[in-house]
Amino acid sequence: MSMIRLAAIKKSYESAAGEVTALKGVDLEIERGEIYGIIGLSGAGKSTLIRCINMLERPTEGKVIVDGKDLTALSEAELREERKGIGMIFQHFNLLSSATVYDNVAFPLKLAGKSASEIKPKVTELLALVGLADKADNYPSHLSGGQKQRVGIARALASDPKVLLCDEATSALDPQTTKSILALIRDINRRMGLTVVVITHEMQVIKDICDRVAVIDGGIIAEEGDVVDVFTAPREPITKEFISVLLSNELPTAFRGNPITKEPSPDSYMLLRLTFLGERADDPVLADMIRRFPDIEVTMLFGTLDQMKDLPFGRMIIGIRGERREIEAAITYLSAQHLKQEVIGYVRRNDAPAD
């Protein structure tokens, strides 16, 4: 059984201009123990969607089922009890400025009626987990942004949730701090077996920690699947737009400004996008291809080697020119090496002779 199932979720609001529909029939299943990303532009409906999961926003239509319970069918008292199992961390931390770090983390435990003798070991354990054991008596104003978010994470874990919702949890942080917070969330997911839902507009966040991803656009799920599959073979324009921020397609100066056509022309290069995954990312496949097919000209236009969670991931754009038969044989060789490939089109160099 999945941990979270959203069935035909619709959410509408009344505004001065009339009814606005933020979610238009969203269906999602999120498995136990996975880190699931939901990415979208501003206004796409992602924040509304995450607030429907813990029922801070009640859907206009549809069902929200968490750990087998339909939250939309519960009374307010029953819903408050179920929310204890759903922690949430926020973009702007939402800490109590007049309370110490210790008291911020202890706050949900005090609300739950826990005694001081129960609260102290729990808070001490959580502050050690997030690396703030020495900050218990500090106030939020004395903390960095990353430290504030660590307090927010500790507070979200205080009630021993089974689900952790992260609403743009790193978008207010600098890149280095973002990496440390994402590493902490991934560590918590592994240690505690929590199901984590990450809302973001940054594909880097999805790439670094998520197992699966849904791309939301205009209140509907445009694309959904395993992060590796979506990242290496995006289908929808909105997904390709997100990925292009990380993976440049800009051609070198020698080709820039020339049109990319669907059909070859004299002296044009075939533009081929190659994707390497796992062990193949470290193999000299391209060098082997050049040695095997010396009669074709190969120009390296773009290349990068990265990590997708713990999986090596490489991406390359090359230009190939030569006899069609030789090019087809080279591409067949690449296919046999289990490389994903895509023909982008054909382009001429700026110094190519005019027709």
Side-chain angles (χ1 to χ4, degrees):
M1 182 191 298
S2 56
M3 176 57 80
I4 300 169
R5 184 163 70 88
L6 306 180
I9 295 295
K10 294 183 180 179
K11 179 62 181 178
S12 299
Y13 301 93
E14 290 296 330
S15 71
E19 187 176 82
V20 175
T21 303
L23 300 174
K24 303 173 182 177
V26 171
D27 294 290
L28 277 183
E29 288 208 28
I30 300 172
E31 301 301 323
R32 293 175 185 272
E34 74 175 338
I35 303 180
Y36 193 96
I38 300 173
I39 188 169
L41 299 171
S42 296
K46 59 186 184 297
S47 290
T48 301
L49 183 59
I50 199 172
R51 290 170 67 84
C52 283
I53 293 175
N54 62 4
M55 297 290 287
L56 290 177
E57 297 271 5
R58 184 171 284 273
T60 307
E61 295 179 26
K63 293 183 177 182
V64 177
I65 300 169
V66 177
D67 200 17
K69 289 190 177 181
D70 181 1
L71 302 190
T72 59
L74 300 182
S75 68
E76 282 302 316
E78 291 170 327
L79 188 55
R80 280 195 296 272
E81 190 62 30
E82 286 302 312
R83 280 202 190 107
K84 293 177 182 178
I86 306 174
M88 191 165 185
I89 56 178
F90 303 88
Q91 176 180 0
H92 296 297
F93 322 127
N94 287 17
L95 301 181
L96 301 169
S97 60
S98 59
T100 64
V101 166
Y102 181 98
D103 287 334
N104 266 282
V105 178
F107 184 68
L109 297 171
K110 291 177 180 177
L111 286 181
K114 301 292 184 183
S115 67
S117 61
E118 292 174 294
I119 290 173
K120 185 172 182 178
K122 184 67 175 178
V123 173
T124 301
E125 175 193 352
L126 289 171
L127 289 179
L129 176 66
V130 300
L132 294 178
D134 60 337
K135 303 292 183 183
D137 297 327
N138 288 48
Y139 287 87
S141 60
H142 299 149
L143 302 179
S144 67
Q147 289 171 332
K148 289 176 184 177
Q149 195 56 283
R150 287 171 182 269
V151 177
I153 292 170
R155 181 186 56 192
L157 297 175
S159 56
D160 295 317
K162 49 201 170 189
V163 173
L164 181 63
L165 306 180
C166 307
D167 189 4
E168 297 277 12
T170 59
S171 62
L173 305 175
D174 63 78
Q176 194 59 40
T177 304
T178 291
K179 282 185 177 294
S180 70
I181 293 298
L182 293 179
L184 175 60
I185 292 171
R186 185 169 53 196
D187 183 55
I188 289 168
N189 163 257
R190 288 171 175 169
R191 285 196 200 189
M192 307 175 79
L194 286 180
T195 302
V196 181
V197 183
V198 176
I199 294 290
T200 184
H201 64 273
E202 299 172 287
M203 201 67 192
Q204 182 73 44
V205 172
I206 300 294
K207 181 179 75 70
D208 284 351
I209 67 166
C210 294
D211 301 302
R212 290 194 299 139
V213 61
V215 182
I216 188 168
D217 186 31
I220 63 171
I221 301 301
E223 189 164 351
E224 192 263 353
D226 184 270
V227 167
V228 171
D229 294 336
V230 171
F231 206 88
T232 57
R235 300 188 309 272
E236 300 300 322
I238 184 67
T239 312
K240 292 177 181 179
E241 182 180 335
F242 278 120
I243 292 171
S244 69
V245 174
L246 298 180
L247 304 174
S248 173
N249 288 329
E250 187 173 0
L251 297 177
T253 305
F255 294 87
R256 199 172 300 159
N258 288 338
I260 297 175
T261 62
K262 292 184 178 180
E263 298 296 331
S265 60
D267 296 313
S268 67
Y269 289 77
M270 173 191 284
L271 297 180
L272 191 65
R273 180 185 290 115
L274 305 174
T275 302
F276 307 72
L277 288 173
E279 294 177 358
R280 304 267 23 142
D282 296 321
D283 291 348
V285 177
L286 188 60
D288 288 345
M289 185 197 77
I290 292 170
R291 282 195 294 270
R292 286 171 179 264
F293 302 94
D295 294 333
I296 63 173
E297 180 186 343
V298 179
T299 301
M300 176 78 162
L301 304 179
F302 170 82
T304 183
L305 184 62
D306 205 341
Q307 291 275 125
M308 195 177 303
K309 291 193 72 176
D310 298 323
L311 185 70
F313 166 74
R315 190 167 181 269
M316 185 181 297
I317 297 176
I318 62 174
I320 304 179
R321 185 168 66 171
E323 293 292 330
R324 186 177 186 88
R325 182 180 56 192
E326 287 289 300
I327 291 175
E328 289 175 353
I331 292 175
T332 299
Y333 169 75
L334 292 175
S335 296
Q337 307 309 306
H338 306 293
L339 267 65
K340 291 189 177 183
Q341 55 197 262
E342 176 191 357
V343 176
I344 301 171
Y346 299 84
V347 68
R348 297 178 66 177
R349 288 178 63 99
N350 291 323
D351 55 5
D355 293 343

